[in-house]
CSV table of all heavy atoms in Angstrom, one decimal:
chain,number,residue,atom,x,y,z
A,1,HIS,N,54.8,-62.2,3.9
A,1,HIS,CA,53.6,-62.6,3.2
A,1,HIS,C,53.9,-62.6,1.7
A,1,HIS,O,54.7,-61.7,1.2
A,1,HIS,CB,52.5,-61.6,3.4
A,1,HIS,CG,51.9,-61.7,4.8
A,1,HIS,ND1,51.1,-62.8,5.2
A,1,HIS,CD2,52.0,-60.9,5.9
A,1,HIS,CE1,50.8,-62.6,6.5
A,1,HIS,NE2,51.3,-61.4,6.9
A,2,SER,N,53.3,-63.5,0.9
A,2,SER,CA,53.4,-63.5,-0.5
A,2,SER,C,52.5,-62.5,-1.2
A,2,SER,O,51.5,-62.1,-0.6
A,2,SER,CB,53.0,-64.9,-1.0
A,2,SER,OG,53.2,-65.0,-2.4
A,3,GLY,N,53.0,-62.0,-2.3
A,3,GLY,CA,52.2,-61.0,-3.1
A,3,GLY,C,52.1,-59.7,-2.5
A,3,GLY,O,52.9,-59.3,-1.6
A,4,PRO,N,51.1,-58.9,-2.8
A,4,PRO,CA,51.0,-57.5,-2.4
A,4,PRO,C,50.9,-57.4,-0.9
A,4,PRO,O,51.4,-56.4,-0.3
A,4,PRO,CB,49.6,-57.0,-3.0
A,4,PRO,CG,49.5,-57.9,-4.2
A,4,PRO,CD,50.0,-59.2,-3.8
A,5,LYS,N,50.3,-58.3,-0.2
A,5,LYS,CA,50.3,-58.3,1.3
A,5,LYS,C,51.7,-58.2,1.9
A,5,LYS,O,51.8,-57.7,3.0
A,5,LYS,CB,49.5,-59.5,1.8
A,5,LYS,CG,49.2,-59.4,3.3
A,5,LYS,CD,48.5,-60.6,3.8
A,5,LYS,CE,47.1,-60.8,3.3
A,5,LYS,NZ,46.3,-61.9,3.9
A,6,GLY,N,52.6,-58.7,1.2
A,6,GLY,CA,54.0,-58.8,1.8
A,6,GLY,C,54.8,-57.5,1.5
A,6,GLY,O,56.0,-57.5,1.8
A,7,TRP,N,54.2,-56.5,0.9
A,7,TRP,CA,54.9,-55.2,0.6
A,7,TRP,C,54.2,-54.1,1.3
A,7,TRP,O,53.0,-53.9,1.3
A,7,TRP,CB,54.9,-55.0,-0.9
A,7,TRP,CG,55.8,-56.0,-1.6
A,7,TRP,CD1,55.4,-57.2,-2.1
A,7,TRP,CD2,57.2,-55.8,-1.9
A,7,TRP,NE1,56.5,-57.8,-2.7
A,7,TRP,CE2,57.6,-57.0,-2.6
A,7,TRP,CE3,58.1,-54.8,-1.6
A,7,TRP,CZ2,58.9,-57.2,-3.0
A,7,TRP,CZ3,59.4,-55.0,-2.1
A,7,TRP,CH2,59.8,-56.2,-2.7
A,8,HIS,N,55.0,-53.2,1.9
A,8,HIS,CA,54.5,-52.0,2.6
A,8,HIS,C,54.6,-50.9,1.5
A,8,HIS,O,55.7,-50.4,1.3
A,8,HIS,CB,55.3,-51.7,3.8
A,8,HIS,CG,54.7,-50.7,4.7
A,8,HIS,ND1,54.3,-49.4,4.3
A,8,HIS,CD2,54.3,-50.8,6.0
A,8,HIS,CE1,53.7,-48.8,5.4
A,8,HIS,NE2,53.7,-49.6,6.4
A,9,SER,N,53.5,-50.4,1.0
A,9,SER,CA,53.6,-49.5,-0.1
A,9,SER,C,54.1,-48.1,0.3
A,9,SER,O,54.8,-47.4,-0.5
A,9,SER,CB,52.2,-49.3,-0.7
A,9,SER,OG,51.2,-48.9,0.3
A,10,ALA,N,53.9,-47.7,1.5
A,10,ALA,CA,54.3,-46.4,2.0
A,10,ALA,C,55.8,-46.4,2.3
A,10,ALA,O,56.5,-45.4,2.2
A,10,ALA,CB,53.5,-45.9,3.2
A,11,TRP,N,56.3,-47.5,2.8
A,11,TRP,CA,57.7,-47.6,3.2
A,11,TRP,C,58.6,-48.3,2.2
A,11,TRP,O,59.8,-48.4,2.4
A,11,TRP,CB,57.8,-48.3,4.6
A,11,TRP,CG,57.1,-47.5,5.7
A,11,TRP,CD1,56.7,-46.2,5.7
A,11,TRP,CD2,56.8,-48.0,7.0
A,11,TRP,NE1,56.1,-45.9,6.9
A,11,TRP,CE2,56.1,-47.0,7.7
A,11,TRP,CE3,56.9,-49.2,7.6
A,11,TRP,CZ2,55.7,-47.1,9.0
A,11,TRP,CZ3,56.5,-49.4,8.9
A,11,TRP,CH2,55.9,-48.3,9.6
A,12,ASP,N,58.0,-48.8,1.2
A,12,ASP,CA,58.8,-49.6,0.1
A,12,ASP,C,59.6,-50.7,0.8
A,12,ASP,O,60.8,-50.8,0.6
A,12,ASP,CB,59.6,-48.6,-0.7
A,12,ASP,CG,60.2,-49.2,-2.0
A,12,ASP,OD1,59.5,-50.1,-2.5
A,12,ASP,OD2,61.2,-48.8,-2.4
A,13,SER,N,59.0,-51.5,1.6
A,13,SER,CA,59.7,-52.5,2.3
A,13,SER,C,58.8,-53.8,2.4
A,13,SER,O,57.7,-53.8,2.0
A,13,SER,CB,60.1,-52.0,3.7
A,13,SER,OG,58.9,-51.5,4.4
A,14,ARG,N,59.4,-54.8,3.1
A,14,ARG,CA,58.7,-56.1,3.2
A,14,ARG,C,58.0,-56.3,4.5
A,14,ARG,O,58.5,-55.8,5.6
A,14,ARG,CB,59.7,-57.3,3.0
A,14,ARG,CG,60.4,-57.3,1.7
A,14,ARG,CD,59.5,-57.3,0.5
A,14,ARG,NE,58.5,-58.3,0.6
A,14,ARG,CZ,58.6,-59.6,0.2
A,14,ARG,NH1,59.7,-60.1,-0.3
A,14,ARG,NH2,57.6,-60.4,0.3
A,15,CYS,N,56.8,-57.0,4.5
A,15,CYS,CA,56.0,-57.2,5.7
A,15,CYS,C,56.1,-58.6,6.2
A,15,CYS,O,55.8,-59.5,5.4
A,15,CYS,CB,54.6,-56.8,5.5
A,15,CYS,SG,54.4,-55.0,5.0
A,16,PHE,N,56.5,-58.8,7.4
A,16,PHE,CA,56.6,-60.2,8.0
A,16,PHE,C,55.3,-60.9,8.0
A,16,PHE,O,54.2,-60.3,8.3
A,16,PHE,CB,57.2,-60.1,9.4
A,16,PHE,CG,58.7,-59.8,9.4
A,16,PHE,CD1,59.1,-58.6,9.8
A,16,PHE,CD2,59.6,-60.8,9.1
A,16,PHE,CE1,60.5,-58.3,9.8
A,16,PHE,CE2,61.0,-60.5,9.1
A,16,PHE,CZ,61.4,-59.2,9.5
A,17,ASP,N,55.4,-62.2,7.9
A,17,ASP,CA,54.2,-63.1,8.1
A,17,ASP,C,54.3,-63.6,9.6
A,17,ASP,O,55.1,-64.6,9.8
A,17,ASP,CB,54.2,-64.3,7.1
A,17,ASP,CG,53.0,-65.2,7.3
A,17,ASP,OD1,52.3,-65.1,8.3
A,17,ASP,OD2,52.8,-66.1,6.4
A,18,TYR,N,53.6,-63.0,10.5
A,18,TYR,CA,53.8,-63.3,11.9
A,18,TYR,C,53.1,-64.6,12.3
A,18,TYR,O,53.1,-65.0,13.4
A,18,TYR,CB,53.2,-62.2,12.7
A,18,TYR,CG,53.9,-60.8,12.5
A,18,TYR,CD1,53.3,-59.9,11.7
A,18,TYR,CD2,55.2,-60.6,13.0
A,18,TYR,CE1,53.9,-58.6,11.4
A,18,TYR,CE2,55.8,-59.4,12.7
A,18,TYR,CZ,55.1,-58.4,11.9
A,18,TYR,OH,55.8,-57.2,11.7
A,19,GLY,N,52.4,-65.2,11.3
A,19,GLY,CA,51.7,-66.5,11.6
A,19,GLY,C,52.6,-67.7,11.4
A,19,GLY,O,52.3,-68.8,11.9
A,20,LYS,N,53.8,-67.6,10.8
A,20,LYS,CA,54.7,-68.7,10.5
A,20,LYS,C,55.6,-69.0,11.7
A,20,LYS,O,56.2,-68.1,12.3
A,20,LYS,CB,55.5,-68.4,9.3
A,20,LYS,CG,54.7,-68.3,8.0
A,20,LYS,CD,55.6,-68.1,6.8
A,20,LYS,CE,56.4,-69.4,6.4
A,20,LYS,NZ,57.1,-69.2,5.1
A,21,THR,N,55.7,-70.2,12.1
A,21,THR,CA,56.4,-70.6,13.3
A,21,THR,C,57.9,-70.2,13.1
A,21,THR,O,58.5,-69.7,14.1
A,21,THR,CB,56.3,-72.1,13.5
A,21,THR,OG1,55.0,-72.4,13.8
A,21,THR,CG2,57.2,-72.6,14.6
A,22,ASP,N,58.5,-70.4,11.9
A,22,ASP,CA,59.9,-70.1,11.8
A,22,ASP,C,60.2,-68.6,11.8
A,22,ASP,O,61.2,-68.1,12.2
A,22,ASP,CB,60.5,-70.7,10.5
A,22,ASP,CG,60.6,-72.2,10.6
A,22,ASP,OD1,61.5,-72.7,11.3
A,22,ASP,OD2,59.8,-72.9,10.0
A,23,VAL,N,59.2,-67.8,11.4
A,23,VAL,CA,59.3,-66.3,11.5
A,23,VAL,C,59.2,-65.9,13.0
A,23,VAL,O,60.0,-65.0,13.4
A,23,VAL,CB,58.2,-65.6,10.7
A,23,VAL,CG1,58.2,-64.1,10.9
A,23,VAL,CG2,58.4,-65.9,9.2
A,24,LEU,N,58.3,-66.5,13.7
A,24,LEU,CA,58.2,-66.3,15.1
A,24,LEU,C,59.5,-66.6,15.8
A,24,LEU,O,60.0,-65.9,16.7
A,24,LEU,CB,57.1,-67.0,15.8
A,24,LEU,CG,55.7,-66.5,15.5
A,24,LEU,CD1,54.6,-67.4,16.2
A,24,LEU,CD2,55.5,-65.1,15.9
A,25,HIS,N,60.1,-67.8,15.4
A,25,HIS,CA,61.4,-68.2,16.0
A,25,HIS,C,62.5,-67.2,15.8
A,25,HIS,O,63.2,-66.8,16.7
A,25,HIS,CB,61.8,-69.5,15.4
A,25,HIS,CG,62.6,-70.4,16.3
A,25,HIS,ND1,63.4,-71.4,15.8
A,25,HIS,CD2,62.9,-70.3,17.6
A,25,HIS,CE1,64.0,-72.0,16.8
A,25,HIS,NE2,63.8,-71.3,17.9
A,26,PHE,N,62.5,-66.6,14.6
A,26,PHE,CA,63.5,-65.6,14.2
A,26,PHE,C,63.3,-64.3,15.0
A,26,PHE,O,64.2,-63.8,15.6
A,26,PHE,CB,63.3,-65.3,12.7
A,26,PHE,CG,64.3,-64.3,12.2
A,26,PHE,CD1,65.6,-64.6,11.8
A,26,PHE,CD2,63.9,-63.0,12.0
A,26,PHE,CE1,66.5,-63.7,11.3
A,26,PHE,CE2,64.7,-62.0,11.5
A,26,PHE,CZ,66.0,-62.4,11.1
A,27,LEU,N,62.1,-63.8,15.0
A,27,LEU,CA,61.8,-62.5,15.7
A,27,LEU,C,61.9,-62.6,17.2
A,27,LEU,O,62.4,-61.7,17.9
A,27,LEU,CB,60.5,-62.0,15.2
A,27,LEU,CG,60.4,-61.6,13.7
A,27,LEU,CD1,59.0,-61.2,13.4
A,27,LEU,CD2,61.4,-60.5,13.4
A,28,LEU,N,61.3,-63.6,17.8
A,28,LEU,CA,61.3,-63.8,19.2
A,28,LEU,C,62.7,-64.0,19.7
A,28,LEU,O,63.1,-63.5,20.8
A,28,LEU,CB,60.4,-64.9,19.7
A,28,LEU,CG,58.9,-64.7,19.5
A,28,LEU,CD1,58.1,-65.9,19.9
A,28,LEU,CD2,58.4,-63.5,20.3
A,29,SER,N,63.5,-64.7,19.0
A,29,SER,CA,64.9,-64.9,19.3
A,29,SER,C,65.7,-63.6,19.2
A,29,SER,O,66.6,-63.3,20.0
A,29,SER,CB,65.6,-66.0,18.4
A,29,SER,OG,64.9,-67.2,18.6
A,30,ASN,N,65.3,-62.8,18.2
A,30,ASN,CA,65.9,-61.5,18.1
A,30,ASN,C,65.6,-60.6,19.3
A,30,ASN,O,66.5,-59.9,19.8
A,30,ASN,CB,65.4,-60.8,16.8
A,30,ASN,CG,66.3,-59.6,16.4
A,30,ASN,OD1,65.8,-58.5,16.3
A,30,ASN,ND2,67.5,-59.9,16.2
């Protein structure tokens, strides 16, 4: 996700955008 929504404040890490087809392709293939 772009902006603050894409950051996990407690874990200091990035949050996936599960609505994007290419992200689903990446994660489901994983």
